C-alpha cells in the first residue's frame, strides 16, 4: 500500500510516498529524510528528545503518525538557524550552558521555541520548569536550561518589539 503525503519540512515542500501507514514522523525524519538532529529517546512520548514543531506547535514526533500530518509544516532542529546565524534559543543554550552531553538538547531547543511561540514562557522560572517538564535531561542541566529559556524569551520579545517599531516608523 503506497500512501502519498506532502510535508513542508524546514521550509522545503516534499512529496513522500509511505509504504506503511504506521511510520511515525520521528522515523520518517531520521530514517527516510536523514534529519538525525531529532533524537529517538524513549520512543514512548515520555522524554521529549523527539520534540519538533508541527504547524508551529510542539509535539513528540515518536507518537505522531506521518500520514496524519499530510500538508503540515514541520520544523526540526536543522531548520532553526539561518545559515551561520544561530536562533536566539540556540545562542541562549550556549550562553547559559543549557546542555551537557547534548543528547536532549535538540528536543529542549525545539520545546523552548514552541513554548515561546505559544506565549507560555513568561518570566517566571517555576512556570518555565513546569512548561518544559515534558523534556527530560539525564545530565541534570535544568538550571542552565531554565536560564536559557528565560533569556531567549527576553531576546525574542525585544527583537519582536524592534521589528514592530521599524514597521510603524
Amino acid at each position: 500500500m503506497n500512501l502519498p503525503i506532502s510535508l513542508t519540512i524546514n521550509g522545503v515542500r516534499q512529496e513522500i510516498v509511505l509504504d506503511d501507514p504506521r511510520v511515525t514522523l520521528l522515523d520518517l525524519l531520521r530514517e527516510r529524510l536523514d534529519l538525525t538532529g531529532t533524537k529517538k529517546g524513549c520512543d514512548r512520548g515520555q522524554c521529549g528528545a523527539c520534540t519538533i514543531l508541527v504547524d508551529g506547535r510542539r509535539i513528540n514526533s515518536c507518537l505522531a503518525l506521518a500520514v496524519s500530518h499530510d500538508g503540515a509544516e514541520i520544523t526540526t532542529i536543522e531548520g532553526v538557524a539561518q545559515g551561520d546565524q544561530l536562533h536566539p534559543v540556540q545562542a541562549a543554550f550556549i550562553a547559559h550552558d543549557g546542555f551537557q552531553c547534548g543528547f536532549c538538547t535538540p528536543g529542549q531547543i525545539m520545546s523552548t521555541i514552541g513554548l515561546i511561540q505559544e506565549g507560555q514562557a513568561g518570566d517566571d522560572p517555576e512556570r518555565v520548569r513546569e512548561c518544559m517538564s515534558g523534556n527530560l535531561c539525564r545530565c541534570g542541566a535544568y538550571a542552565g536550561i531554565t536560564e536559557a529559556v528565560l533569556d531567549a524569551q527576553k531576546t525574542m520579545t525585544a527583537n519582536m518589539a524592534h521589528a514592530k517599531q521599524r514597521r510603524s516608523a
Side-chain angles (χ1 to χ4, degrees), residues 5-16 25 28-30 32-35 38 52-55 66 69 71-80:
I5 64 170
S6 178
L7 300 171
T8 301
I9 302 172
N10 299 327
V12 177
R13 188 137 181 103
Q14 299 197 33
E15 304 298 324
I16 302 162
L25 279 174
L28 177 69
L29 292 168
R30 290 185 59 80
R32 291 263 315 266
L33 303 175
D34 203 30
L35 294 170
T38 304
I52 60 172
L53 301 180
V54 175
D55 296 328
H69 294 284
E73 184 170 322
I74 295 172
T75 306
T76 68
I77 191 67
E78 290 90 349
V80 299

Side-chain angles (χ1 to χ4, degrees), residues 35-106:
L35 294 170
T36 57
T38 304
K39 303 301 182 210
K40 184 178 271 199
C42 67
D43 214 19
R44 294 179 181 197
Q46 296 174 340
C47 73
C50 66
T51 304
I52 60 172
L53 301 180
V54 175
D55 296 328
R57 299 200 50 88
R58 53 196 170 140
I59 69 162
N60 291 328
S61 62
C62 71
L63 296 179
L65 294 177
V67 73
S68 298
H69 294 284
D70 187 20
E73 184 170 322
I74 295 172
T75 306
T76 68
I77 191 67
E78 290 90 349
V80 299
Q82 299 295 317
D84 291 338
Q85 181 70 36
L86 293 178
H87 187 282
V89 173
Q90 291 173 305
F93 267 72
I94 291 170
H96 294 281
D97 292 326
F99 56 91
Q100 286 183 28
C101 79
F103 186 81
C104 72
T105 306

